[in-house]
Amino acid sequence: MAIVEPIESAGPHRRLRLKSPVTLAPIGEIECASAEEVRAAVERARKAQSDWAKRSIDERAEVMWRLNDQFVKRQDEVIDAVIEETGKTRSEAISMEVFSSCDSITYYAKKARKFLAPEKRRIHGILGFAKRLKLVYRPLGVVGLITPWNGPIILAVNPMVQALMAGNAVVHKPSEVTPFSAQLLKQFTEAAGFPQDLYQVVQGDGQTGAALIDAGIDKISFTGSVATGRRVGEACARNLIPFTLELGGKDAMIVCSDADLDRAAAGALIGSCMNTGHYCCGTERIYVMEDIYEPFVEKVVAGARQLRQNDRGETDVGAIFWDKQLEIIEAHMADARAKGAQVLVGGNRNPDLEGLYFQPTVVTDVTHDMDLMRKETFGPIVSIMKVRDEEEAIELANDSEYGLNGNVWTTDREKGERIAERIETGGVCVNDMALTYGLHDAPFGGVKTSGIGQVNGPSGIRGYCHLLPISADKKGKGPIQGGYPYTRKAEDGMQKFIKIFFGTRLARWIT
Ligand code: NAD
């Protein structure tokens, strides 16, 4: 049963039919944009961008505030679209897609002026006596945005707002699994009075994404899997365009002996099962000190048994967003079982529901020989491993090709921070599940195979700019530095100068 399947097309376009993972009923079709259409969209965007870049940051912010108003007024439309398309719970649709989008839009609308203000920088050395230096954040042009299915609105809104506030236009290729959320976002931008073609959506699959990278854009902001990220990075390198890659993870949670066990058990459940486990910074591996292992597991098991999974009404754990992910989850579970893991709760598809539901699951006796502890599973699975001490926990946490986020649980905050500093990953939370993407001030991005480049916050929005240095004379008159003609006298003078300026302590102090 495919959630996305190719269908016959009479015309020149490839067509895809979408089904809801909640009901398995068809919810619509999309036509994949051709390479020529993608290129035409980028050309239109370039025209829109040249006017947009002339607007002041305050004027751009006004437009973003109107987009925010759309989200506030039309929350239910977002919630309904996202649930139908992904099967995530209503609570997650509200918190991840509506709240986070408003939070991101308002943050950059308020702060962009400060983050992108021109800077004066003192010039080092002797040139500092003669020259001044100004740094100006200039937009790159047209940004290509390629996004995944697990946060179809927020993972588009957050980079889009940063790129637009910085004065760029955006052409967005959403996931083929969640095209209708992007369509809704486009409607919101139209209702908010965005200039025509400033934000465009090109629907399609990987081929359309690849066409966007080759369509003459100025930067790619990519969020998705490691395998696709590699292809995107290669294509950007071929086109010599900058890119950020926000990729997959296998985040570790370390539970110390002095942790608040109730809080840690609750953190393990939400960290592993939130968004049906389809969270890039979701907890995928839990290392627990042996002296608290038994009570911790008991609490997690008790909590997991309370989790509700329904296709209507109140629910805690939603559907698997699409069949391909379900296949990965089932394969990792089969591998873990075959290698001796114990399944204490769940472990299978939910037989009571028609849609793509996998039971919230707790697994123990896992080892690093299992895919469940090595590869990104992206499902509602709490995988727990007993460790001797904190050293072993850190060693195991670092024994991974990924490094996106992670979390440490202890009542000793300083110790938590010390452990955090030793985890080879992109960000760490102490006594909370992975919050970092939602902390706009924090730079976000993975190490190892989890990504290239950090996004968000002041440096994130500046990543959508070229930092243009403009240097000028302080006085505006006199000869050009090092100008013609070259004379022996000037060369001797320069050599003496080098001796004085770089060869004496006093001069070192002055420079
Ligand atoms: P994916 O890599 O399969 O697809 C992501 C996007 O890339 C889609 O829009 C897809 O159509 C497009 N694409 C596919 N092939 C392409 C190509 N050759 N060139 C250009 N674009 C192409 O990922 P997914 O399955 O949609 O998303 C899940 C993955 O995303 C997980 O690994 C998850 O961890 C990761 N993710 C990371 C973050 C983060 O911030 N680090 C956030 C969310 C999701």
Side-chain angles (χ1 to χ4, degrees):
M1 209 299 308
I3 289 293
V4 183
E5 58 187 1
I7 49 172
E8 284 280 311
S9 166
H13 293 98
R14 284 171 296 114
R15 293 184 68 81
L16 304 174
R17 177 179 297 132
L18 278 288
K19 290 183 184 151
S20 168
V22 180
T23 58
L24 306 186
I27 51 172
E29 294 175 8
I30 59 164
E31 201 162 72
C32 299
S34 67
E36 295 71 42
E37 286 163 336
V38 173
R39 192 165 276 279
V42 171
E43 277 164 22
R44 289 195 300 275
R46 196 165 296 290
K47 290 201 184 103
Q49 190 267 336
S50 87
D51 283 340
W52 177 249
K54 288 180 199 134
R55 296 200 191 184
S56 71
I57 292 197
D58 287 345
E59 286 170 320
R60 293 177 209 156
E62 271 313 309
V63 178
M64 297 307 139
W65 283 110
R66 294 203 297 267
L67 177 62
N68 175 64
D69 295 344
Q70 289 295 313
F71 272 93
V72 175
K73 270 195 294 200
R74 299 169 66 181
Q75 293 187 40
D76 287 331
E77 285 178 62
V78 178
I79 295 163
D80 291 347
V82 166
I83 291 177
E84 181 174 61
E85 198 167 52
T86 67
K88 68 172 68 186
T89 66
R90 190 175 155 74
S91 292
E92 287 153 1
I94 296 168
S95 61
M96 281 182 72
E97 311 290 355
V98 182
F99 172 87
S100 299
S101 294
C102 293
D103 205 34
S104 167
I105 296 166
T106 52
Y107 176 81
Y108 292 104
K110 272 193 269 185
K111 303 266 187 171
R113 184 140 70 97
K114 182 171 160 213
F115 294 157
L116 301 179
E119 291 170 27
K120 283 195 182 131
R121 194 171 285 177
R122 253 179 88 125
I123 295 178
H124 154 84
I126 192 71
L127 274 179
F129 292 110
K131 296 282 181 187
R132 69 174 78 236
L133 178 63
K134 186 177 169 187
L135 304 175
V136 177
Y137 290 96
R138 195 171 63 183
L140 295 172
V142 181
V143 172
L145 189 59
I146 303 178
T147 55
W149 43 263
N150 62 325
I153 298 274
I154 180 58
L155 294 174
V157 165
N158 190 39
M160 175 189 87
V161 168
Q162 294 179 53
L164 294 181
M165 281 305 299
N168 302 284
V170 170
V171 179
H172 176 200
K173 208 301 284 174
S175 167
E176 59 274 37
V177 186
T178 52
F180 303 119
S181 298
Q183 247 170 37
L184 185 65
L185 178 58
K186 173 76 178 129
Q187 286 169 21
F188 280 18
T189 63
E190 283 164 6
F194 273 42
Q196 197 174 359
D197 299 328
L198 185 69
Y199 167 70
Q200 296 173 71
V201 176
V202 288
Q203 296 286 9
D205 51 16
Q207 277 187 44
T208 316
L212 179 57
I213 304 172
D214 289 336
I217 39 127
D218 301 295
K219 174 170 181 162
I220 280 285
S221 163
F222 174 82
T223 309
S225 65
V226 174
T228 310
R230 269 187 220 284
R231 285 196 284 277
V232 168
E234 284 165 9
C236 289
R238 210 174 46 241
N239 282 289
L240 289 181
I241 49 173
F243 56 90
T244 52
L245 302 178
E246 297 303 315
L247 309 179
K250 189 79 195 165
D251 289 354
M253 168 175 183
I254 295 177
V255 189
C256 299
S257 303
D258 62 350
D260 173 339
L261 285 196
D262 288 322
R263 192 178 157 113
L269 286 169
I270 188 84
S272 304
C273 299
M274 193 187 97
N275 213 38
T276 327
H278 307 329
Y279 180 34
C280 53
C281 311
T283 298
E284 297 234 346
R285 303 175 284 148
I286 304 182
Y287 303 105
V288 186
M289 302 309 129
E290 59 189 1
D291 56 338
I292 50 149
Y293 177 80
E294 301 286 336
F296 176 79
V297 171
E298 267 170 38
K299 284 177 194 292
V300 172
V301 165
R305 291 209 169 108
Q306 301 293 316
L307 293 178
R308 297 158 302 167
Q309 193 169 49
N310 304 307
D311 54 8
R312 56 185 67 87
E314 282 192 359
T315 182
D316 297 313
V317 180
I320 302 298
F321 293 10
W322 72 320
D323 45 304
K324 295 231 168 105
Q325 201 60 47
L326 186 55
E327 285 163 17
I328 294 171
I329 295 165
E330 289 186 321
H332 287 193
M333 284 300 298
D335 174 73
R337 280 190 172 103
K339 290 174 179 163
Q342 297 299 311
V343 180
L344 304 186
V345 182
N348 297 299
R349 288 188 194 202
N350 189 328
D352 302 328
L353 298 174
E354 209 179 318
L356 293 188
Y357 287 86
F358 195 90
Q359 296 162 328
T361 294
V362 181
V363 190
T364 57
D365 297 318
V366 287
T367 68
H368 276 215
D369 295 328
M370 299 172 185
D371 288 346
L372 204 51
M373 297 297 273
R374 285 269 170 215
K375 299 182 179 168
E376 190 181 48
T377 307
F378 232 46
I381 296 170
V382 192
S383 303
I384 311 176
M385 187 168 173
K386 191 195 293 183
V387 292
R388 254 186 341 270
D389 53 23
E390 286 155 10
E391 285 305 313
E392 188 185 15
I394 294 168
E395 204 173 298
L396 286 167
N398 290 340
D399 178 27
S400 174
E401 65 176 273
Y402 295 99
L404 191 55
N405 254 265
N407 41 96
V408 182
W409 301 72
T410 165
T411 43
D412 178 348
R413 187 170 50 79
E414 282 180 14
K415 180 175 83 176
E417 290 175 3
R418 277 200 306 276
I419 294 175
E421 284 181 32
R422 293 181 56 200
I423 304 180
E424 293 158 7
T425 192
V428 186
C429 294
V430 176
N431 292 328
D432 215 326
M433 54 148 336
L435 265 181
T436 336
Y437 193 80
L439 304 177
H440 299 295
D441 296 285
F444 179 87
V447 298
K448 303 191 202 173
T449 60
S450 288
I452 292 186
Q454 288 181 305
V455 298
N456 296 349
S459 53
I461 189 170
R462 288 172 188 153
Y464 291 101
C465 298
H466 173 76
L467 185 54
L468 180 76
I470 303 174
S471 76
D473 286 336
K474 278 188 171 161
K475 293 216 170 79
K477 51 185 180 189
I480 293 177
Q481 302 289 330
Y484 296 130
Y486 293 156
T487 62
R488 177 49 68 106
K489 191 174 162 212
E491 286 160 6
D492 291 345
M494 186 61 133
Q495 284 193 292
K496 275 191 201 131
F497 181 82
I498 290 169
K499 274 193 191 145
I500 295 167
F501 254 81
F502 299 109
T504 65
R505 277 195 178 281
L506 176 68
R508 276 191 211 178
W509 180 77
I510 294 170
T511 55

